[in-house]
mmCIF file of all heavy atoms in Angstrom:
data_model
loop_
_atom_site.group_PDB
_atom_site.id
_atom_site.type_symbol
_atom_site.label_atom_id
_atom_site.label_comp_id
_atom_site.label_asym_id
_atom_site.label_seq_id
_atom_site.Cartn_x
_atom_site.Cartn_y
_atom_site.Cartn_z
ATOM 1 N N MET A 443 159.412 15.956 14.411
ATOM 2 C CA MET A 443 158.077 15.598 14.861
ATOM 3 C C MET A 443 157.808 16.282 16.189
ATOM 4 O O MET A 443 158.693 16.420 17.013
ATOM 5 C CB MET A 443 158.021 14.078 15.015
ATOM 6 C CG MET A 443 156.659 13.560 15.298
ATOM 7 S SD MET A 443 156.649 11.758 15.320
ATOM 8 C CE MET A 443 157.084 11.353 13.624
ATOM 9 N N ASN A 444 156.604 16.730 16.338
ATOM 10 C CA ASN A 444 156.251 17.378 17.587
ATOM 11 C C ASN A 444 154.837 16.948 17.947
ATOM 12 O O ASN A 444 153.888 17.292 17.253
ATOM 13 C CB ASN A 444 156.332 18.893 17.411
ATOM 14 C CG ASN A 444 155.921 19.617 18.661
ATOM 15 O OD1 ASN A 444 155.706 18.999 19.706
ATOM 16 N ND2 ASN A 444 155.771 20.918 18.568
ATOM 17 N N TYR A 709 141.502 9.598 44.431
ATOM 18 C CA TYR A 709 142.513 10.464 45.042
ATOM 19 C C TYR A 709 141.927 11.340 46.146
ATOM 20 O O TYR A 709 142.627 11.771 47.042
ATOM 21 C CB TYR A 709 143.122 11.401 43.990
ATOM 22 C CG TYR A 709 144.152 10.787 43.064
ATOM 23 C CD1 TYR A 709 144.644 11.509 41.982
ATOM 24 C CD2 TYR A 709 144.658 9.501 43.268
ATOM 25 C CE1 TYR A 709 145.589 10.974 41.113
ATOM 26 C CE2 TYR A 709 145.592 8.959 42.402
ATOM 27 C CZ TYR A 709 146.061 9.699 41.320
ATOM 28 O OH TYR A 709 146.992 9.180 40.463
ATOM 29 N N ARG A 725 146.174 -2.203 38.226
ATOM 30 C CA ARG A 725 146.258 -2.751 36.874
ATOM 31 C C ARG A 725 145.128 -2.202 35.990
ATOM 32 O O ARG A 725 145.347 -1.814 34.852
ATOM 33 C CB ARG A 725 146.192 -4.278 36.911
ATOM 34 C CG ARG A 725 146.449 -4.897 35.552
ATOM 35 C CD ARG A 725 146.352 -6.409 35.578
ATOM 36 N NE ARG A 725 146.763 -6.942 34.299
ATOM 37 C CZ ARG A 725 146.013 -6.935 33.196
ATOM 38 N NH1 ARG A 725 144.802 -6.413 33.228
ATOM 39 N NH2 ARG A 725 146.473 -7.426 32.066
ATOM 40 N N ARG A 818 135.925 -1.406 10.136
ATOM 41 C CA ARG A 818 137.043 -2.344 9.956
ATOM 42 C C ARG A 818 137.241 -2.673 8.476
ATOM 43 O O ARG A 818 138.355 -2.822 7.999
ATOM 44 C CB ARG A 818 136.796 -3.630 10.748
ATOM 45 C CG ARG A 818 137.026 -3.480 12.228
ATOM 46 C CD ARG A 818 136.968 -4.832 12.941
ATOM 47 N NE ARG A 818 137.546 -4.741 14.272
ATOM 48 C CZ ARG A 818 136.858 -4.408 15.365
ATOM 49 N NH1 ARG A 818 135.564 -4.167 15.298
ATOM 50 N NH2 ARG A 818 137.470 -4.329 16.528
ATOM 51 N N ASP B 517 153.085 18.422 14.899
ATOM 52 C CA ASP B 517 153.534 18.121 13.543
ATOM 53 C C ASP B 517 154.092 16.697 13.552
ATOM 54 O O ASP B 517 155.101 16.428 14.204
ATOM 55 C CB ASP B 517 154.616 19.127 13.125
ATOM 56 C CG ASP B 517 155.093 18.873 11.714
ATOM 57 O OD1 ASP B 517 154.569 17.946 11.056
ATOM 58 O OD2 ASP B 517 156.000 19.601 11.260
ATOM 59 N N ASP B 789 142.195 -5.045 12.787
ATOM 60 C CA ASP B 789 142.566 -4.904 14.198
ATOM 61 C C ASP B 789 144.082 -4.781 14.349
ATOM 62 O O ASP B 789 144.570 -4.030 15.198
ATOM 63 C CB ASP B 789 142.045 -6.091 15.011
ATOM 64 C CG ASP B 789 140.549 -5.951 15.292
ATOM 65 O OD1 ASP B 789 140.050 -4.805 15.300
ATOM 66 O OD2 ASP B 789 139.889 -6.986 15.492
ATOM 67 N N ARG B 809 163.696 12.838 23.645
ATOM 68 C CA ARG B 809 164.467 13.829 22.880
ATOM 69 C C ARG B 809 164.482 15.172 23.606
ATOM 70 O O ARG B 809 165.509 15.836 23.695
ATOM 71 C CB ARG B 809 163.838 13.995 21.495
ATOM 72 C CG ARG B 809 164.450 15.105 20.651
ATOM 73 C CD ARG B 809 163.511 15.503 19.521
ATOM 74 N NE ARG B 809 162.287 16.099 20.052
ATOM 75 C CZ ARG B 809 161.194 16.323 19.336
ATOM 76 N NH1 ARG B 809 161.132 15.962 18.070
ATOM 77 N NH2 ARG B 809 160.143 16.885 19.892
ATOM 78 N N TYR B 823 153.876 -0.913 26.972
ATOM 79 C CA TYR B 823 152.589 -1.617 26.956
ATOM 80 C C TYR B 823 152.165 -1.911 25.519
ATOM 81 O O TYR B 823 151.808 -3.045 25.172
ATOM 82 C CB TYR B 823 151.507 -0.779 27.661
ATOM 83 C CG TYR B 823 150.106 -1.293 27.393
ATOM 84 C CD1 TYR B 823 149.586 -2.348 28.140
ATOM 85 C CD2 TYR B 823 149.326 -0.762 26.366
ATOM 86 C CE1 TYR B 823 148.317 -2.852 27.869
ATOM 87 C CE2 TYR B 823 148.062 -1.261 26.088
ATOM 88 C CZ TYR B 823 147.562 -2.301 26.844
ATOM 89 O OH TYR B 823 146.317 -2.799 26.558
ATOM 90 N N ASN B 869 152.210 -7.706 31.843
ATOM 91 C CA ASN B 869 151.705 -7.471 33.201
ATOM 92 C C ASN B 869 152.709 -6.756 34.090
ATOM 93 O O ASN B 869 152.324 -5.975 34.960
ATOM 94 C CB ASN B 869 151.211 -8.772 33.825
ATOM 95 C CG ASN B 869 149.777 -9.052 33.412
ATOM 96 O OD1 ASN B 869 148.916 -8.200 33.586
ATOM 97 N ND2 ASN B 869 149.516 -10.211 32.824
ATOM 98 N N ILE B 879 150.627 5.409 38.964
ATOM 99 C CA ILE B 879 149.365 6.158 39.026
ATOM 100 C C ILE B 879 148.911 6.281 40.480
ATOM 101 O O ILE B 879 148.524 7.352 40.937
ATOM 102 C CB ILE B 879 148.274 5.481 38.162
ATOM 103 C CG1 ILE B 879 148.651 5.544 36.680
ATOM 104 C CG2 ILE B 879 146.912 6.137 38.388
ATOM 105 C CD1 ILE B 879 147.763 4.699 35.771
#
Side-chain angles (χ1 to χ4, degrees):
Chain A
M443 188 175 296
N444 178 8
Y709 282 172
R725 187 181 187 283
R818 284 188 164 89
Chain B
D517 181 2
D789 282 335
R809 174 198 65 193
Y823 166 83
N869 275 306
I879 294 170

